């Protein structure tokens, strides 16, 4: 843990673990690595990279993030089971700074209905687990799941014992989002005042948003002495989600006079990170969402606009540029050069290397040729979607679709496989999108069950790009795909093909694993 964070509030990001647990938010290894790089650039202190026991894929992604992402502490979650703890250590040990995060539910409801154990057994298990984790790793976090509904005297007993066993961070989750700020702050104070030696550890909070109070509860806990906040980008997570990183960080920054603490976050990267997570998970950010919603800095009412023209402080408590929203009036279009494009990309909070910049610029030029005005959201969309469909065996070479009132809707498609072969297929359907999906299935031989289809426009204007997210089921697994184009039928085809490519990659991984198992047995 760096000293700066110790004096301020440690930002523990769990987008890749609790965030990924949200329905429909599962991510591929490549997507997780991309988000982990963005979190590093955002300067979060800790990345919780996953729950290694959940699946071999989760283990691999935690291990890859630990091996490739330098800067933040890389943390893996483990139940209080020796097998989980050992496995988590194997996954995180490659990081320059690693953490094992062990948890067990302490509340009577969880003890009785979920774990079916008594207090003594639970206490013993918690202590043994922290001991074991400390033998492997110097940085160990202990979470008392459902702490806010645990009997205060038992919580005190557990925390005192795990602290003695060597836990370096103590986390008190409001797992079901039941607490309210004054009560949650009281819980933190109670632990601070009654656990001997608690000042040797960092007190942490992890709040869910079931009653819409995750951010308020986390801030109240900070006022009561908590120094680590567990949060996710856009507040994604189990059920109603977690404390939103961008909101809690901007509250601490904007009201630093009140809270007296800050974070190490580079807030100018909040907007770009939010857009990346939204694009990867398919979870759209509501327009009125604090900090990162499209309307967060928009002033509609005449009286507000009048005030803003006189002085921005009349209606703005934060500067949009501080969260990575550009206020630049420079209009980019097809005549804009690489230099201007690079500047705007930087202003929008993205860090691209030369190769990524060249690729994004080429795409920008192609799009600018077809579109009258290029908005910041178009540029963001180019960057965050840069490698979505490029990752798979199939690519669309040509697509034609027909539609019309009373007409038969059809689609003809030419796909190229990475081994060089091309396939032409056509199909008819109730609409051009369905026809397209059927043609893609016929060409690839993969037939899927479409569960959700969402389309929204990236910007305003009749020449806006369409952004399509599809969720499908295949062989009992849920997959998500995403496509953007000026033509919404093409955007739909790209989203559907992304899923087909994922299914193919997944099948290839399974075949390799089976072969490795045969070889090692
Ligand atoms: O909500 C919760 O209690 C958790 C723990 C595993 C930290 O996510
Ligand atoms: Zn949680």
């Amino acid at each position: 843990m760096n000293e700066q964070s110790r004096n301020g509030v440690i930002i523990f990001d769990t987008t890749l673990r609790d965030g990924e647990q949200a329905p429909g938010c599962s991510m591929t290894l490549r997507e997780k690595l991309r988000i982990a790089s963005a979190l590093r650039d955002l300067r979060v202190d800790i990345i919780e990279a996953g729950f290694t026991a959940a699946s071999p894929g989760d283990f691999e992604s935690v291990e890859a993030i630990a091996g490739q992402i330098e800067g933040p502490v890389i943390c893996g979650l483990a139940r209080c089971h020796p097998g989980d703890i050992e496995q988590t250590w194997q996954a995180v040990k490659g990081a320059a700074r690693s953490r094992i995060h062990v948890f067990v539910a302490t509340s009577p409801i969880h003890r009785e209905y979920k774990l079916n154990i008594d207090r003594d057994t639970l206490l013993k298990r918690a202590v043994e687990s922290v001991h074991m984790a400390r033998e492997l790793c110097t940085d160990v976090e202990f979470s008392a799941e459902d702490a806010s509904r645990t009997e205060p005297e038992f919580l005190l007993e557990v925390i005192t014992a795990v602290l003695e066993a060597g836990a370096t961070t103590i986390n008190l989750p409001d797992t079901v989002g039941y607490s309210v700020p004054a009560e949650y702050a009281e819980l933190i104070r109670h632990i601070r005042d009654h656990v001997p030696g608690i000042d040797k550890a960092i007190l942490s909070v992890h709040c869910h948003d079931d009653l819409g109070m995750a951010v308020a509860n986390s801030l109240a806990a900070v006022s009561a002495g908590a120094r680590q906040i567990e949060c996710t980008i856009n507040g994604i997570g189990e059920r109603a989600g977690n404390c939103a990183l961008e909101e809690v960080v901007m509250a601490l920054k904007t009201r630093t006079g009140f809270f007296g603490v800050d974070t190490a976050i580079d807030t100018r990267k909040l907007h770009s990170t939010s857009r990346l997570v939204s694009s990867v998970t398919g979870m759209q950010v509501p327009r009125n969402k604090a900090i990162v919603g499209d309307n967060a800095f928009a002033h509609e009412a005449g009286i507000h606009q009048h005030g803003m023209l006189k002085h921005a402080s009349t209606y703005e408590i934060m500067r949009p540029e501080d969260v990575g929203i550009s206020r630049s009036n420079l209009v980019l279009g097809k005549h804009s050069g690489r230099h201007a494009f690079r500047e705007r990309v930087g202003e929008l909070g993205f860090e691209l290397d030369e190769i990524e910049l060249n690729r994004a610029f080429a795409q920008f030029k192609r799009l600018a040729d077809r579109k009258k005005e290029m908005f910041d959201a178009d540029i963001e969309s180019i960057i965050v979607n840069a490698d979505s469909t490029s990752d798979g065996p199939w690519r669309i070479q040509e697509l034609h679709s027909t539609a019309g009132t009373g007409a038969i809707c059809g689609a003809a498609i030419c796909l190229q496989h990475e081994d060089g072969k091309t396939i032409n297929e056509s199909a008819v359907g109730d609409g051009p999108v369905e026809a397209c999906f059927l043609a893609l299935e016929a060409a690839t031989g993969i037939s899927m069950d479409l569960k959700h289809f969402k389309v929204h426009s990236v910007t305003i204007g009749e020449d806006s790009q369409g952004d399509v997210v599809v969720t499908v089921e295949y062989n009992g697994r849920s997959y998500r795909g995403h496509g953007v184009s000026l033509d919404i039928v093409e955007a739909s085809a790209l989203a559907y093909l992304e899923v087909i490519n994922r299914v193919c990659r997944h099948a290839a991984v399974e075949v390799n694993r089976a072969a490795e198992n045969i070889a090692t047995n």
Side-chain angles (χ1 to χ4, degrees), residues 324-390:
I325 297 174
S326 143
R327 228 201 274 249
S328 163
N329 291 324
L330 203 69
V331 176
L332 292 188
K334 66 178 177 178
H335 300 297
S336 303
R338 204 167 167 286
H339 184 70
F341 180 73
R342 182 203 287 273
E343 289 262 300
R344 180 61 63 90
V345 166
E347 279 165 12
L348 291 172
F350 293 101
E351 276 181 31
L352 303 186
D353 62 28
E354 277 312 289
I355 298 173
E356 289 165 339
L357 188 84
N358 288 344
R359 198 168 52 188
F361 184 58
Q363 211 178 327
F364 166 80
K365 282 290 192 185
R366 276 197 297 277
L367 184 59
D369 255 346
R370 297 170 66 192
K371 226 174 156 291
K372 285 198 286 286
E373 286 176 301
M374 292 290 283
F375 295 93
D376 286 345
D378 288 312
I379 298 173
E380 281 165 5
S381 157
I382 288 173
I383 296 168
V384 297
N385 295 309
D387 63 356
S388 48
T389 38
S390 56

Side-chain angles (χ1 to χ4, degrees), residues 17-18 77 101 103 143 145-146 171 173-175 206 208 230:
R17 199 278 298 168
D18 212 318
L77 181 69
H101 177 187
F103 78 100
S143 282
E145 190 188 359
D146 208 14
N171 186 32
D174 182 30
T175 302
H206 176 113
H208 280 270
E230 304 200 350

Side-chain angles (χ1 to χ4, degrees), residues 186-197:
E186 194 41 48
L187 174 73
I188 303 293
R189 259 184 232 112
H190 185 70
I191 297 293
R192 277 190 72 197
D193 293 346
H194 293 93
V195 173

